[in-house]
Amino acid sequence: MITLLEQMNAWHWLALGLVLLLLELLGTAGYLLWLGVSALLVGAIMFFLPLGWEMQWLTFAVFCLFTTWLWWRYQHKQDRAGDEQRSLNQRSEQLIGQTCVLENDFPLGQGRLQLGDTTWTAKSESNIPAGTLVEVIRVEGIVVIIQEKVSQ
């Protein structure tokens, strides 16, 4: 086994990198991408610096860890930014900006409101007469906060 490891040269690393990248195309969701890139980097280094097999594998391991960590760090920032801006499967976020016409007078404070096919507990800072177009301005827990829709 050691004999096989001692015989690895730049071409072996380039071939390993390409094989890993080709396997990545089968749909491994990025698991082999950074390993393949790391093997290609080791192959490129081997053209300029002759390294022993121990140093080759150590360099490969360091590159794998480093490239994977960089990608994780980048992706983690993207995921956090995406979470703050998404409203999919967050019913309360989807309610903001919706409008409806009141069927009954809405008292100052808390009352009930029909939005779509659901009745919601709602709050208002003023009395709103029936037939008025209202808009949801924010959601606090399961209570929608409404105000009279201003025409533009």
Side-chain angles (χ1 to χ4, degrees):
M1 182 69 169
I2 300 283
T3 314
L4 180 65
L5 294 174
E6 289 173 343
Q7 293 176 357
M8 287 199 64
N9 60 32
W11 294 108
H12 291 112
W13 283 106
L14 293 177
L16 176 63
L18 291 175
V19 167
L20 289 168
L21 291 176
L22 287 174
L23 289 173
E24 174 63 34
L25 291 176
L26 295 177
T28 60
Y31 293 112
L32 298 177
L33 175 66
W34 302 111
L35 276 69
V37 168
S38 297
L40 291 174
L41 287 172
V42 172
I45 289 172
M46 289 289 296
F47 277 118
F48 302 106
L49 287 171
L51 300 173
W53 69 271
E54 299 95 347
M55 195 57 144
Q56 291 175 33
W57 284 98
L58 182 64
T59 305
F60 176 67
V62 168
F63 281 153
C64 286
L65 290 172
F66 186 68
T67 56
T68 305
W69 176 75
L70 283 177
W71 177 251
W72 173 83
R73 203 169 149 214
Y74 169 77
Q75 191 63 41
H76 190 64
K77 285 181 185 176
Q78 296 297 325
D79 290 345
R80 284 200 181 262
D83 284 347
E84 294 167 357
Q85 297 168 352
R86 72 179 167 93
S87 63
L88 182 66
N89 294 332
Q90 294 183 5
R91 179 78 188 255
S92 61
E93 295 295 322
Q94 294 173 353
L95 290 174
I96 296 173
Q98 284 195 12
T99 59
C100 70
V101 176
L102 291 177
E103 297 174 2
N104 303 316
D105 291 339
F106 196 90
L108 172 68
Q110 192 165 321
R112 301 291 292 173
L113 171 71
Q114 179 78 29
L115 256 175
D117 61 350
T118 307
T119 303
W120 293 86
T121 301
K123 283 186 183 178
S124 172
E125 296 178 359
S126 62
N127 289 323
I128 305 174
T132 305
L133 183 65
V134 294
E135 177 182 19
V136 176
I137 56 172
R138 70 179 184 274
V139 179
E140 295 174 354
I142 59 170
V143 178
V144 295
I145 311 302
I146 61 169
Q147 72 179 13
E148 191 171 341
K149 174 90 170 159
V150 180
S151 318
Q152 296 177 0

